[in-house]
PDB file of all heavy atoms in Angstrom:
ATOM      1  N   ILE A 510     -23.003  14.985  13.282  1.00  0.00           N
ATOM      2  CA  ILE A 510     -21.830  15.628  12.626  1.00  0.00           C
ATOM      3  C   ILE A 510     -22.233  15.914  11.180  1.00  0.00           C
ATOM      4  O   ILE A 510     -22.562  14.993  10.388  1.00  0.00           O
ATOM      5  CB  ILE A 510     -20.681  14.664  12.598  1.00  0.00           C
ATOM      6  CG1 ILE A 510     -20.307  14.149  13.992  1.00  0.00           C
ATOM      7  CG2 ILE A 510     -19.424  15.380  11.964  1.00  0.00           C
ATOM      8  CD1 ILE A 510     -19.298  13.004  14.022  1.00  0.00           C
ATOM      9  N   MET A 512     -21.629  17.600   7.645  1.00  0.00           N
ATOM     10  CA  MET A 512     -20.549  17.950   6.788  1.00  0.00           C
ATOM     11  C   MET A 512     -21.077  18.403   5.415  1.00  0.00           C
ATOM     12  O   MET A 512     -21.881  17.729   4.775  1.00  0.00           O
ATOM     13  CB  MET A 512     -19.618  16.769   6.563  1.00  0.00           C
ATOM     14  CG  MET A 512     -19.121  16.199   7.800  1.00  0.00           C
ATOM     15  SD  MET A 512     -18.839  14.438   7.716  1.00  0.00           S
ATOM     16  CE  MET A 512     -20.440  13.660   7.894  1.00  0.00           C
ATOM     17  N   PHE A 526     -16.026  13.158  -1.836  1.00  0.00           N
ATOM     18  CA  PHE A 526     -16.766  13.252  -0.530  1.00  0.00           C
ATOM     19  C   PHE A 526     -17.031  11.788   0.015  1.00  0.00           C
ATOM     20  O   PHE A 526     -16.840  11.580   1.200  1.00  0.00           O
ATOM     21  CB  PHE A 526     -17.999  14.008  -0.780  1.00  0.00           C
ATOM     22  CG  PHE A 526     -18.769  14.473   0.558  1.00  0.00           C
ATOM     23  CD1 PHE A 526     -18.189  15.320   1.431  1.00  0.00           C
ATOM     24  CD2 PHE A 526     -20.016  13.922   0.788  1.00  0.00           C
ATOM     25  CE1 PHE A 526     -18.827  15.646   2.602  1.00  0.00           C
ATOM     26  CE2 PHE A 526     -20.715  14.254   1.895  1.00  0.00           C
ATOM     27  CZ  PHE A 526     -20.155  15.174   2.810  1.00  0.00           C
ATOM     28  N   LEU A 527     -17.547  10.933  -0.858  1.00  0.00           N
ATOM     29  CA  LEU A 527     -17.827   9.536  -0.502  1.00  0.00           C
ATOM     30  C   LEU A 527     -16.513   8.858  -0.051  1.00  0.00           C
ATOM     31  O   LEU A 527     -16.522   8.085   0.880  1.00  0.00           O
ATOM     32  CB  LEU A 527     -18.525   8.796  -1.646  1.00  0.00           C
ATOM     33  CG  LEU A 527     -20.022   9.185  -1.726  1.00  0.00           C
ATOM     34  CD1 LEU A 527     -20.632   8.782  -3.011  1.00  0.00           C
ATOM     35  CD2 LEU A 527     -20.763   8.678  -0.509  1.00  0.00           C
ATOM     36  N   LEU A 530     -15.457   9.941   3.352  1.00  0.00           N
ATOM     37  CA  LEU A 530     -16.310   9.299   4.473  1.00  0.00           C
ATOM     38  C   LEU A 530     -15.983   7.886   4.624  1.00  0.00           C
ATOM     39  O   LEU A 530     -15.759   7.341   5.690  1.00  0.00           O
ATOM     40  CB  LEU A 530     -17.824   9.407   4.074  1.00  0.00           C
ATOM     41  CG  LEU A 530     -18.461  10.864   4.229  1.00  0.00           C
ATOM     42  CD1 LEU A 530     -19.867  10.817   3.640  1.00  0.00           C
ATOM     43  CD2 LEU A 530     -18.504  11.192   5.702  1.00  0.00           C
ATOM     44  N   PHE A 534     -14.483   5.760   8.007  1.00  0.00           N
ATOM     45  CA  PHE A 534     -15.061   4.668   8.685  1.00  0.00           C
ATOM     46  C   PHE A 534     -14.115   3.364   8.631  1.00  0.00           C
ATOM     47  O   PHE A 534     -13.912   2.761   9.596  1.00  0.00           O
ATOM     48  CB  PHE A 534     -16.386   4.301   8.064  1.00  0.00           C
ATOM     49  CG  PHE A 534     -17.383   5.392   8.269  1.00  0.00           C
ATOM     50  CD1 PHE A 534     -18.252   5.815   7.196  1.00  0.00           C
ATOM     51  CD2 PHE A 534     -17.576   6.026   9.419  1.00  0.00           C
ATOM     52  CE1 PHE A 534     -19.063   6.827   7.280  1.00  0.00           C
ATOM     53  CE2 PHE A 534     -18.603   7.035   9.577  1.00  0.00           C
ATOM     54  CZ  PHE A 534     -19.302   7.468   8.507  1.00  0.00           C
ATOM     55  N   GLY A 544     -21.865  -1.219   4.963  1.00  0.00           N
ATOM     56  CA  GLY A 544     -21.939  -1.074   3.426  1.00  0.00           C
ATOM     57  C   GLY A 544     -22.316   0.345   3.067  1.00  0.00           C
ATOM     58  O   GLY A 544     -22.906   1.040   3.908  1.00  0.00           O
ATOM     59  N   LEU A 545     -21.938   0.709   1.879  1.00  0.00           N
ATOM     60  CA  LEU A 545     -22.318   2.029   1.426  1.00  0.00           C
ATOM     61  C   LEU A 545     -23.422   1.874   0.302  1.00  0.00           C
ATOM     62  O   LEU A 545     -23.195   1.098  -0.733  1.00  0.00           O
ATOM     63  CB  LEU A 545     -21.053   2.764   0.716  1.00  0.00           C
ATOM     64  CG  LEU A 545     -21.444   3.953  -0.167  1.00  0.00           C
ATOM     65  CD1 LEU A 545     -22.180   5.076   0.578  1.00  0.00           C
ATOM     66  CD2 LEU A 545     -20.089   4.496  -0.717  1.00  0.00           C
ATOM     67  N   LEU A 546     -24.585   2.421   0.455  1.00  0.00           N
ATOM     68  CA  LEU A 546     -25.717   2.310  -0.459  1.00  0.00           C
ATOM     69  C   LEU A 546     -25.775   3.559  -1.213  1.00  0.00           C
ATOM     70  O   LEU A 546     -25.734   4.642  -0.611  1.00  0.00           O
ATOM     71  CB  LEU A 546     -26.953   1.942   0.165  1.00  0.00           C
ATOM     72  CG  LEU A 546     -27.035   0.761   1.054  1.00  0.00           C
ATOM     73  CD1 LEU A 546     -28.424   0.657   1.791  1.00  0.00           C
ATOM     74  CD2 LEU A 546     -26.814  -0.538   0.355  1.00  0.00           C
ATOM     75  N   ARG A 641     -33.898   8.839   0.651  1.00  0.00           N
ATOM     76  CA  ARG A 641     -33.522   9.656   1.842  1.00  0.00           C
ATOM     77  C   ARG A 641     -34.762  10.446   2.381  1.00  0.00           C
ATOM     78  O   ARG A 641     -35.712  10.656   1.501  1.00  0.00           O
ATOM     79  CB  ARG A 641     -32.433  10.638   1.576  1.00  0.00           C
ATOM     80  CG  ARG A 641     -31.167  10.063   0.960  1.00  0.00           C
ATOM     81  CD  ARG A 641     -30.393   9.316   1.999  1.00  0.00           C
ATOM     82  NE  ARG A 641     -29.928  10.173   3.084  1.00  0.00           N
ATOM     83  CZ  ARG A 641     -30.403   9.879   4.315  1.00  0.00           C
ATOM     84  NH1 ARG A 641     -31.062   8.963   4.630  1.00  0.00           N
ATOM     85  NH2 ARG A 641     -29.940  10.675   5.243  1.00  0.00           N
ATOM     86  N   PHE A 651     -26.947   8.801  -0.664  1.00  0.00           N
ATOM     87  CA  PHE A 651     -26.275   7.624  -0.200  1.00  0.00           C
ATOM     88  C   PHE A 651     -26.579   7.367   1.400  1.00  0.00           C
ATOM     89  O   PHE A 651     -26.943   8.310   2.042  1.00  0.00           O
ATOM     90  CB  PHE A 651     -24.790   7.793  -0.338  1.00  0.00           C
ATOM     91  CG  PHE A 651     -24.198   8.954   0.277  1.00  0.00           C
ATOM     92  CD1 PHE A 651     -23.785   8.982   1.527  1.00  0.00           C
ATOM     93  CD2 PHE A 651     -24.163  10.164  -0.477  1.00  0.00           C
ATOM     94  CE1 PHE A 651     -23.310  10.184   2.127  1.00  0.00           C
ATOM     95  CE2 PHE A 651     -23.595  11.359   0.045  1.00  0.00           C
ATOM     96  CZ  PHE A 651     -23.046  11.382   1.426  1.00  0.00           C
ATOM     97  N   GLU A 652     -26.277   6.173   1.819  1.00  0.00           N
ATOM     98  CA  GLU A 652     -26.344   5.909   3.246  1.00  0.00           C
ATOM     99  C   GLU A 652     -25.149   4.871   3.617  1.00  0.00           C
ATOM    100  O   GLU A 652     -24.961   4.010   2.773  1.00  0.00           O
ATOM    101  CB  GLU A 652     -27.631   5.202   3.613  1.00  0.00           C
ATOM    102  CG  GLU A 652     -28.852   6.163   3.621  1.00  0.00           C
ATOM    103  CD  GLU A 652     -30.121   5.527   3.973  1.00  0.00           C
ATOM    104  OE1 GLU A 652     -30.236   4.292   4.109  1.00  0.00           O
ATOM    105  OE2 GLU A 652     -31.032   6.294   4.357  1.00  0.00           O
ATOM    106  N   PHE A 653     -24.578   5.021   4.793  1.00  0.00           N
ATOM    107  CA  PHE A 653     -23.643   4.088   5.302  1.00  0.00           C
ATOM    108  C   PHE A 653     -24.419   3.247   6.288  1.00  0.00           C
ATOM    109  O   PHE A 653     -24.942   3.775   7.171  1.00  0.00           O
ATOM    110  CB  PHE A 653     -22.410   4.765   5.936  1.00  0.00           C
ATOM    111  CG  PHE A 653     -21.485   5.267   4.921  1.00  0.00           C
ATOM    112  CD1 PHE A 653     -21.573   6.534   4.430  1.00  0.00           C
ATOM    113  CD2 PHE A 653     -20.401   4.473   4.499  1.00  0.00           C
ATOM    114  CE1 PHE A 653     -20.731   7.086   3.466  1.00  0.00           C
ATOM    115  CE2 PHE A 653     -19.489   4.974   3.527  1.00  0.00           C
ATOM    116  CZ  PHE A 653     -19.613   6.241   3.012  1.00  0.00           C
ATOM    117  N   VAL A 654     -24.472   1.951   6.048  1.00  0.00           N
ATOM    118  CA  VAL A 654     -25.382   1.076   6.841  1.00  0.00           C
ATOM    119  C   VAL A 654     -24.593  -0.025   7.439  1.00  0.00           C
ATOM    120  O   VAL A 654     -23.813  -0.752   6.845  1.00  0.00           O
ATOM    121  CB  VAL A 654     -26.438   0.506   5.897  1.00  0.00           C
ATOM    122  CG1 VAL A 654     -27.424  -0.400   6.650  1.00  0.00           C
ATOM    123  CG2 VAL A 654     -27.298   1.597   5.225  1.00  0.00           C
ATOM    124  N   ALA A 655     -24.863  -0.239   8.782  1.00  0.00           N
ATOM    125  CA  ALA A 655     -24.208  -1.285   9.533  1.00  0.00           C
ATOM    126  C   ALA A 655     -24.903  -2.665   9.201  1.00  0.00           C
ATOM    127  O   ALA A 655     -26.135  -2.641   9.163  1.00  0.00           O
ATOM    128  CB  ALA A 655     -24.226  -1.021  11.007  1.00  0.00           C
ATOM    129  N   LEU A 659     -26.496  -2.889  15.024  1.00  0.00           N
ATOM    130  CA  LEU A 659     -27.327  -1.723  15.348  1.00  0.00           C
ATOM    131  C   LEU A 659     -28.805  -2.058  15.246  1.00  0.00           C
ATOM    132  O   LEU A 659     -29.637  -1.219  15.591  1.00  0.00           O
ATOM    133  CB  LEU A 659     -27.024  -0.651  14.223  1.00  0.00           C
ATOM    134  CG  LEU A 659     -25.844   0.245  14.512  1.00  0.00           C
ATOM    135  CD1 LEU A 659     -25.706   1.379  13.520  1.00  0.00           C
ATOM    136  CD2 LEU A 659     -25.794   0.750  15.933  1.00  0.00           C
ATOM    137  N   ASN A 663     -30.035   1.057  11.533  1.00  0.00           N
ATOM    138  CA  ASN A 663     -28.708   0.705  11.149  1.00  0.00           C
ATOM    139  C   ASN A 663     -27.980   1.716  10.277  1.00  0.00           C
ATOM    140  O   ASN A 663     -26.817   1.498   9.897  1.00  0.00           O
ATOM    141  CB  ASN A 663     -28.681  -0.779  10.460  1.00  0.00           C
ATOM    142  CG  ASN A 663     -29.618  -0.708   9.229  1.00  0.00           C
ATOM    143  OD1 ASN A 663     -30.259   0.198   8.933  1.00  0.00           O
ATOM    144  ND2 ASN A 663     -29.628  -1.874   8.638  1.00  0.00           N
ATOM    145  N   THR A 664     -28.678   2.784   9.845  1.00  0.00           N
ATOM    146  CA  THR A 664     -27.950   3.859   9.089  1.00  0.00           C
ATOM    147  C   THR A 664     -27.360   4.778  10.018  1.00  0.00           C
ATOM    148  O   THR A 664     -27.969   5.521  10.754  1.00  0.00           O
ATOM    149  CB  THR A 664     -29.054   4.609   8.196  1.00  0.00           C
ATOM    150  OG1 THR A 664     -29.671   3.677   7.463  1.00  0.00           O
ATOM    151  CG2 THR A 664     -28.363   5.659   7.317  1.00  0.00           C
ATOM    152  N   PHE A 665     -25.975   4.836   9.998  1.00  0.00           N
ATOM    153  CA  PHE A 665     -25.300   5.720  10.886  1.00  0.00           C
ATOM    154  C   PHE A 665     -24.677   7.010  10.178  1.00  0.00           C
ATOM    155  O   PHE A 665     -24.171   7.923  10.768  1.00  0.00           O
ATOM    156  CB  PHE A 665     -24.139   4.998  11.618  1.00  0.00           C
ATOM    157  CG  PHE A 665     -23.125   4.350  10.684  1.00  0.00           C
ATOM    158  CD1 PHE A 665     -21.977   5.017  10.194  1.00  0.00           C
ATOM    159  CD2 PHE A 665     -23.314   3.005  10.222  1.00  0.00           C
ATOM    160  CE1 PHE A 665     -21.083   4.432   9.436  1.00  0.00           C
ATOM    161  CE2 PHE A 665     -22.415   2.349   9.424  1.00  0.00           C
ATOM    162  CZ  PHE A 665     -21.279   3.109   8.940  1.00  0.00           C
ATOM    163  N   CYS A 666     -24.906   7.021   8.741  1.00  0.00           N
ATOM    164  CA  CYS A 666     -24.538   8.230   8.082  1.00  0.00           C
ATOM    165  C   CYS A 666     -25.407   8.208   6.819  1.00  0.00           C
ATOM    166  O   CYS A 666     -25.527   7.401   6.122  1.00  0.00           O
ATOM    167  CB  CYS A 666     -23.045   8.175   7.675  1.00  0.00           C
ATOM    168  SG  CYS A 666     -22.519   9.537   6.746  1.00  0.00           S
ATOM    169  N   GLY A 667     -25.906   9.483   6.463  1.00  0.00           N
ATOM    170  CA  GLY A 667     -26.640   9.595   5.287  1.00  0.00           C
ATOM    171  C   GLY A 667     -26.513  11.011   4.636  1.00  0.00           C
ATOM    172  O   GLY A 667     -26.225  11.900   5.382  1.00  0.00           O
ATOM    173  N   GLY A 668     -26.666  11.010   3.286  1.00  0.00           N
ATOM    174  CA  GLY A 668     -26.570  12.355   2.722  1.00  0.00           C
ATOM    175  C   GLY A 668     -26.821  12.378   1.241  1.00  0.00           C
ATOM    176  O   GLY A 668     -27.299  11.363   0.699  1.00  0.00           O
ATOM    177  N   GLY A 688     -23.794  17.075   1.004  1.00  0.00           N
ATOM    178  CA  GLY A 688     -23.409  16.974   2.356  1.00  0.00           C
ATOM    179  C   GLY A 688     -23.867  15.619   2.885  1.00  0.00           C
ATOM    180  O   GLY A 688     -24.494  14.803   2.178  1.00  0.00           O
ATOM    181  N   ALA A 689     -23.507  15.425   4.185  1.00  0.00           N
ATOM    182  CA  ALA A 689     -23.980  14.237   4.865  1.00  0.00           C
ATOM    183  C   ALA A 689     -23.994  14.490   6.365  1.00  0.00           C
ATOM    184  O   ALA A 689     -23.434  15.441   6.830  1.00  0.00           O
ATOM    185  CB  ALA A 689     -22.938  13.136   4.589  1.00  0.00           C
ATOM    186  N   ALA A 690     -24.752  13.606   7.033  1.00  0.00           N
ATOM    187  CA  ALA A 690     -24.743  13.785   8.568  1.00  0.00           C
ATOM    188  C   ALA A 690     -24.508  12.375   9.169  1.00  0.00           C
ATOM    189  O   ALA A 690     -25.173  11.360   8.732  1.00  0.00           O
ATOM    190  CB  ALA A 690     -26.055  14.311   9.016  1.00  0.00           C
ATOM    191  N   ILE A 691     -23.617  12.303  10.069  1.00  0.00           N
ATOM    192  CA  ILE A 691     -23.381  11.096  10.846  1.00  0.00           C
ATOM    193  C   ILE A 691     -24.232  11.200  12.107  1.00  0.00           C
ATOM    194  O   ILE A 691     -24.213  12.255  12.727  1.00  0.00           O
ATOM    195  CB  ILE A 691     -21.907  10.986  11.235  1.00  0.00           C
ATOM    196  CG1 ILE A 691     -21.013  10.803  10.036  1.00  0.00           C
ATOM    197  CG2 ILE A 691     -21.679   9.862  12.221  1.00  0.00           C
ATOM    198  CD1 ILE A 691     -19.486  10.809  10.216  1.00  0.00           C
ATOM    199  N   GLY A 692     -24.882  10.164  12.417  1.00  0.00           N
ATOM    200  CA  GLY A 692     -25.623  10.141  13.706  1.00  0.00           C
ATOM    201  C   GLY A 692     -24.597   9.629  14.784  1.00  0.00           C
ATOM    202  O   GLY A 692     -24.249   8.422  14.739  1.00  0.00           O
ATOM    203  N   ARG A 695     -25.640   6.608  16.951  1.00  0.00           N
ATOM    204  CA  ARG A 695     -25.596   5.321  16.294  1.00  0.00           C
ATOM    205  C   ARG A 695     -24.174   4.811  15.919  1.00  0.00           C
ATOM    206  O   ARG A 695     -23.850   3.676  16.037  1.00  0.00           O
ATOM    207  CB  ARG A 695     -26.419   5.418  14.946  1.00  0.00           C
ATOM    208  CG  ARG A 695     -27.818   5.372  15.181  1.00  0.00           C
ATOM    209  CD  ARG A 695     -28.668   5.289  13.959  1.00  0.00           C
ATOM    210  NE  ARG A 695     -30.030   5.805  14.188  1.00  0.00           N
ATOM    211  CZ  ARG A 695     -30.837   6.050  13.268  1.00  0.00           C
ATOM    212  NH1 ARG A 695     -30.544   5.726  11.980  1.00  0.00           N
ATOM    213  NH2 ARG A 695     -32.023   6.490  13.619  1.00  0.00           N
ATOM    214  N   LEU A 696     -23.313   5.819  15.562  1.00  0.00           N
ATOM    215  CA  LEU A 696     -21.984   5.439  15.276  1.00  0.00           C
ATOM    216  C   LEU A 696     -21.301   4.908  16.562  1.00  0.00           C
ATOM    217  O   LEU A 696     -20.457   3.886  16.547  1.00  0.00           O
ATOM    218  CB  LEU A 696     -21.169   6.704  14.754  1.00  0.00           C
ATOM    219  CG  LEU A 696     -19.780   6.401  14.365  1.00  0.00           C
ATOM    220  CD1 LEU A 696     -19.642   5.323  13.276  1.00  0.00           C
ATOM    221  CD2 LEU A 696     -19.088   7.673  13.956  1.00  0.00           C
TER     222      LEU A 696
END
Side-chain angles (χ1 to χ4, degrees):
I510 303 166
M512 302 150 281
F526 191 64
L527 282 168
L530 289 169
F534 299 130
L545 166 61
L546 305 177
R641 308 286 302 116
F651 58 85
E652 287 184 346
F653 285 87
V654 179
L659 280 187
N663 56 358
T664 303
F665 56 91
C666 175
I691 294 173
R695 283 192 206 171
L696 182 59

